[in-house]
Amino acid sequence: MKSAPVERRILLLRGQNVILDFDLAELYAVETRALKQAVRRNLGRFPADFMFELTASETERLVSQTVIPTRGKLGGAVPMAFTEEGVAMLSSVLRSRRAVQVNIAIMRAFVRLREMLMSNADLACKLLALEGKYDAQFKIVFDAIRELMEGPPQPPKRQIGFHSQEK
């Protein structure tokens, strides 16, 4: 299974990378209802940091952003969001060969996402360091240019012509 379709399904909700239940069901080639049923039968395996249900406002926001095409796609059910740990736990609940292959692809996608985020963080730090370094160097250059523009202090010019001298 290729990971590109998996990576596009990873969303950021509540500060966590998650995949929604209907996307997982599609990947696992099972009905969303069956996936949710398996999870509900094993709720003890899915603490809040593994899986959570979306609020009405989160669902509406995802519909408005076309992450979820329509509310009808949900069939009136509240979507579940699974974190990386929750997806890993699904492999113990869904035991098909396809589930194992899908879980491997999803875990790889989460790892790649984490690596990309780390590499972007490293790049941002390096960029900030360069900006600081070059800002200081350019300040010196601009100060030198200003001094050159002002030039050396000019002695007062002698006036030419007749001057009345008062004594």
Side-chain angles (χ1 to χ4, degrees), residues 80-99:
M80 294 176 167
F82 293 84
T83 64
E84 183 176 353
E85 294 84 358
V87 171
M89 188 57 71
L90 276 173
S91 65
S92 69
V93 175
L94 304 172
R95 296 189 185 111
S96 71
R97 178 180 290 173
R98 179 165 178 83

Side-chain angles (χ1 to χ4, degrees), residues 49-62:
D49 58 329
F50 282 31
M51 183 273 301
F52 56 87
E53 290 187 337
L54 273 59
T55 64
S57 64
E58 288 170 330
T59 303
E60 289 305 318
R61 189 171 30 123
L62 291 176

Side-chain angles (χ1 to χ4, degrees), residues 37-46 89 92-93 95:
Q37 188 176 46
V39 169
R40 286 201 174 95
R41 286 183 182 156
N42 296 280
L43 271 179
R45 295 179 184 216
F46 295 95
M89 188 57 71
S92 69
V93 175
R95 296 189 185 111

Side-chain angles (χ1 to χ4, degrees), residues 1-11 18-20 23-24 26-28 87 98 101-113:
M1 159 160 255
K2 292 185 180 180
S3 59
V6 173
E7 289 168 348
R8 285 194 299 261
R9 297 169 195 241
I10 298 174
L11 307 172
V18 298
I19 300 180
L20 299 177
D23 281 332
L24 285 167
E26 186 179 317
L27 291 167
Y28 290 127
V87 171
R98 179 165 178 83
Q101 294 303 312
V102 168
N103 270 16
I104 290 169
I106 292 171
M107 292 299 108
R108 288 180 177 155
F110 273 115
V111 168
R112 266 194 302 284
L113 181 63

